[in-house]
Amino acid sequence: MIFGMVLLGVFLLATPVSADKGVQHVVGIVIAIDQKHIEVKTPNRTVPVSVKLTKHVQFKNKNNPAVTNPPDVGDRVIIEATKDNKMLVATIVYYSTFRQVPSATQ
């Protein structure tokens, strides 16, 4: 029993406290995008959030995981980013294409 408690203590001490330390999330709708940056309108800010895009950024489409293309204007995004010299730099951009469902009255 004591050996089990010691082993558990060693395991807990060896486990990193937070692997995501320094990671920030930007959630909202894409209002502009090009090869170097993406601008996102968030629900709680009046000014859009600008996030730098690099060649290392990963794009993950929720509707089609095989697609690695960047999102389009109007898509909903969750961006994982790190801060570099007062600028947010994207590491992963998760997105979902917003498609309006046609109403039954048309």
Side-chain angles (χ1 to χ4, degrees), residues 44 57 93 99 106:
N44 54 354
V57 67
V93 177
R99 295 200 191 339
Q106 290 184 358

Side-chain angles (χ1 to χ4, degrees), residues 20-27 49 51 78-84 87-92:
D20 290 338
K21 194 169 190 176
V23 173
Q24 297 185 14
H25 293 89
V26 178
V27 180
V49 177
V51 182
I78 299 174
I79 301 172
E80 287 185 8
T82 56
K83 203 162 200 173
D84 184 27
M87 180 179 283
L88 288 174
V89 180
T91 54
I92 302 174

Side-chain angles (χ1 to χ4, degrees), residues 100-106:
Q100 290 185 341
V101 178
S103 65
T105 60
Q106 290 184 358

Side-chain angles (χ1 to χ4, degrees), residues 5-41:
M5 292 179 72
V6 169
L7 186 60
L8 180 62
V10 169
F11 175 71
L12 290 175
L13 290 175
T15 305
V17 175
S18 176
D20 290 338
K21 194 169 190 176
V23 173
Q24 297 185 14
H25 293 89
V26 178
V27 180
I29 297 175
V30 177
I31 59 170
I33 185 168
D34 61 29
Q35 292 180 346
K36 295 185 180 185
H37 87 289
I38 184 169
E39 286 189 24
V40 178
K41 180 175 180 354

